[in-house]
Amino acid sequence: MLRRVDPRRLMRRIAPARRIRRVGAGSRRLIRRIDTDSERLTRRIGTVFTSRLHDERTAAWLGACLGVSFTVAFVTGLVSHFMQHPPSWMLWPSRPVGLYRLTQGTHIICGIATIPLLLAKLWTVYPKLWQWPPIRSAAHAARRGAVFLLVGGSLFQLVTGLINVNYWYPFPFFFTVAHYWTAYVVFGALLIHAADEWAKVRGLRRPPPPHGPSRRGFLATVAGACGLVALTTVGETFTPLGDLAVLAPRRPGTGPQRLPVNKTALAAGVTRSAGWRLAVTGAVRRELSLSLDDLRAMPRHVVRLPIACVEGWSAEATWAGVRLRDVLRAAGVEDDARVRVESLEKQGLYRTSQVDPPHWHDPLTLLALEVNGEPLSLDHGHPCRLIAPDRPGVMQTKWVAKLEVS
């Protein structure tokens, strides 16, 4: 016997299914519309970015140059870091005298000259940011992630590095630590990107297409911009070009006693003291307490050495004083000892520095009392400062008050 079906109840049961089918059909129409719109957008972008300067060959040339510049900056940056913060087992040599001056100058000049090169590269490849869909697969997502780290890290390194050499610190983090660790991220991303794009780089050996002159002109313009930036910066390291160093924050021959100053005595909180004495303590046979007259009574030596700072500038000067090794041997120090040099400055990350045997044994390492034929000014470390070959400027301790031997 058939049951009577209530039409209204049946419609209430069927309606949700219809709505589900209707929603499903709507979703499919929306997806088709998105796909259609993305295809139209892609075609429209293709009509906008028609310049041959956005092609892979131009990008590959700029990428190869960036690879070289970032590699140079990375290696010279590691040299700078480990010279300032050497592991306990590492002993840097004191010769050649200008090694740090060369490597750190190269690091800064190369970094600043890379800025127009990176901007040209980003301009060449930015149409790829509009490709749709943005992520096509897991492998594609990984490649885009590496590119994001490379671009973001590169901009961070160059912008904060430029700010640092101009002694302006608007950011809350410590520049040196951030710059050091970000360098590993950028260089690692660079290696991944280079491996992924190697086939395009190899294509540089193929003959250029017929429209080469415009590309060559663009690349020549970029090279000229990089060269101009380098030329107006290199004078802060290469003294004969000092007059051209209009972009350098420190120029040779400018400052007290014709020598630039990074930190003044006022900034360090140091004032003249009539009762100054130099203490030699620690692992010594006899402790010493030397006045300025005691140091002047010791054999006087004159050397010609540069001050080379982490910001890239360097300047040579003539220093006169007593050899550090003469003072240490007067205290009976062992040949393998390490010396902690302490400043009158009460605070500061570099108020002390360590002098290892290769440096304190070197006859060029002085406790300087004069610079350029004059007694040290207070800003240059009066009454006594350290000056040694192949050593970062922040480790050429000023206002020396104590030598602690270990």
Side-chain angles (χ1 to χ4, degrees), residues 150 189-199 201:
L150 178 58
L190 175 63
L191 294 178
I192 294 172
H193 184 64
D196 187 51
E197 300 289 326
W198 183 246
V201 175

Side-chain angles (χ1 to χ4, degrees), residues 35-269:
D35 289 341
T36 302
D37 291 344
S38 66
E39 290 175 2
R40 291 175 180 173
L41 177 62
T42 302
R43 287 196 298 269
R44 184 171 297 178
I45 290 172
T47 62
V48 173
F49 300 112
T50 57
S51 171
R52 66 180 66 95
L53 301 180
H54 292 295
D55 66 0
E56 291 183 348
R57 186 179 177 83
T58 304
W61 271 111
L62 294 172
C65 295
L66 277 172
V68 172
S69 64
F70 271 107
T71 299
V72 172
F74 180 69
V75 172
T76 53
L78 289 183
V79 171
S80 175
H81 176 81
F82 287 112
M83 288 187 78
Q84 289 188 67
H85 309 282
S88 58
W89 51 266
M90 181 179 288
L91 296 177
W92 282 96
S94 61
R95 307 292 178 98
V97 169
L99 177 62
Y100 183 79
R101 182 184 197 182
L102 174 64
T103 57
Q104 190 60 18
T106 301
H107 178 76
I108 298 299
I109 295 164
C110 180
I112 295 177
T114 298
I115 293 175
L117 183 60
L118 178 63
L119 294 177
K121 169 72 172 181
L122 293 178
W123 180 86
T124 300
V125 301
Y126 84 91
K128 292 186 177 181
L129 298 175
W130 300 97
Q131 290 180 346
W132 192 270
I135 297 176
R136 304 186 185 93
S137 64
H140 185 246
R143 286 197 296 271
R144 298 211 81 173
V147 170
F148 174 79
L149 290 176
L150 178 58
V151 173
S154 299
L155 290 172
F156 175 85
Q157 291 293 83
L158 295 180
V159 171
T160 58
L162 185 63
I163 291 174
N164 174 68
V165 300
N166 286 280
Y167 308 98
W168 179 45
Y169 300 99
F171 33 74
F173 52 84
F174 184 49
F175 166 78
T176 304
V177 175
H179 197 69
Y180 173 70
W181 288 110
T182 306
Y184 286 104
V185 175
V186 172
F187 196 68
L190 175 63
L191 294 178
I192 294 172
H193 184 64
D196 187 51
E197 300 289 326
W198 183 246
K200 297 176 184 177
V201 175
R202 291 179 61 188
L204 296 177
R205 293 179 292 184
R206 295 195 297 267
H211 300 295
S214 179
R215 180 182 296 106
R216 286 196 294 268
F218 174 68
L219 295 176
T221 301
V222 175
C226 296
L228 181 63
V229 170
L231 183 64
T232 52
T233 308
V234 71
E236 69 174 0
T237 298
F238 186 58
T239 306
L241 296 179
D243 291 340
L244 300 178
V246 295
L247 296 182
R250 298 286 189 273
R251 300 175 67 178
T254 302
Q257 299 176 299
R258 303 176 300 284
L259 191 65
V261 171
N262 266 10
K263 178 177 278 191
T264 64
L266 179 62

Side-chain angles (χ1 to χ4, degrees), residues 229-393:
V229 170
L231 183 64
T232 52
T233 308
V234 71
E236 69 174 0
T237 298
F238 186 58
T239 306
L241 296 179
D243 291 340
L244 300 178
V246 295
L247 296 182
R250 298 286 189 273
R251 300 175 67 178
T254 302
Q257 299 176 299
R258 303 176 300 284
L259 191 65
V261 171
N262 266 10
K263 178 177 278 191
T264 64
L266 179 62
V270 176
T271 57
R272 290 186 181 273
S273 175
W276 174 88
R277 299 187 75 86
L278 174 66
V280 185
T281 64
V284 297
R285 292 193 182 94
R286 50 191 170 277
E287 293 191 348
L288 301 178
S289 179
L290 304 173
S291 66
L292 187 56
D293 288 337
D294 292 333
L295 290 178
R296 288 172 176 161
M298 297 180 69
R300 180 177 179 271
H301 297 274
V302 179
V303 299
R304 183 78 175 171
L305 288 176
I307 286 283
C309 283
V310 68
E311 296 87 4
W313 69 266
S314 58
E316 285 193 359
T318 301
W319 309 89
V322 300
R323 287 175 176 163
L324 178 58
R325 71 181 187 186
D326 292 347
V327 174
L328 294 177
R329 284 173 177 167
V333 172
E334 298 291 337
D335 287 344
D336 60 349
R338 291 182 168 182
V339 183
R340 183 173 180 266
V341 182
E342 185 174 321
S343 173
L344 287 173
E345 184 181 3
K346 299 303 180 185
Q347 295 180 342
L349 190 63
Y350 298 104
R351 65 174 297 271
T352 66
S353 67
Q354 179 172 284
V355 184
D356 293 323
H359 280 86
W360 73 257
H361 282 285
D362 195 300
L364 294 180
T365 300
L366 300 183
L367 291 174
L369 309 176
E370 303 172 16
V371 60
N372 291 329
E374 303 170 358
L376 289 172
S377 68
L378 191 59
D379 284 340
H380 281 307
H382 176 85
C384 172
R385 71 168 297 162
L386 177 70
I387 185 70
D390 191 28
R391 194 167 164 89

